[in-house]
Amino acid sequence: APVEQVYDFWQNFENFPRFMENIESIQKTGPDTTHWKTRGPMGMAVEWDAKTISLQENQKIACQSVDGTIETHGAVTFA
């Protein structure tokens, strides 16, 4: 698919449950914040809040958990 189309799909985190089986939901809570719900080991519910730290159009998306929740971060690049 064209990089623009893939980037647009990925920048809407609410799409993640469509292709990531352990993600139950991701809800936008602010302009650059989201609330994540996943299934962890043995089906246990795991939730955290995250902040988008990089949105480079058609190049990169990165986010990390906020203080007071579990520690996680991730990034994806597009070429």
Side-chain angles (χ1 to χ4, degrees):
V3 70
E4 297 86 1
Q5 183 180 14
V6 176
Y7 177 85
D8 285 343
F9 184 83
W10 271 79
Q11 76 170 340
N12 181 357
F13 295 154
E14 292 172 348
N15 284 327
F16 284 21
R18 295 174 62 186
F19 63 93
M20 294 180 160
E21 67 182 49
N22 288 338
I23 303 287
E24 291 184 356
S25 67
I26 301 173
Q27 294 179 319
K28 190 170 184 135
T29 57
D32 62 353
T33 56
T34 48
H35 182 77
W36 296 57
K37 292 182 181 180
T38 65
R39 287 182 306 281
M42 300 185 65
M44 294 183 63
V46 180
E47 297 185 34
W48 68 92
D49 295 315
K51 180 174 177 131
T52 304
I53 56 173
S54 179
L55 276 177
Q56 299 172 20
E57 188 172 355
N58 301 327
Q59 295 179 24
K60 181 180 179 180
I61 299 171
C63 62
Q64 68 183 28
S65 56
V66 297
D67 291 339
T69 62
I70 67 169
E71 186 175 331
T72 186
H73 63 278
V76 62
T77 56
F78 304 88

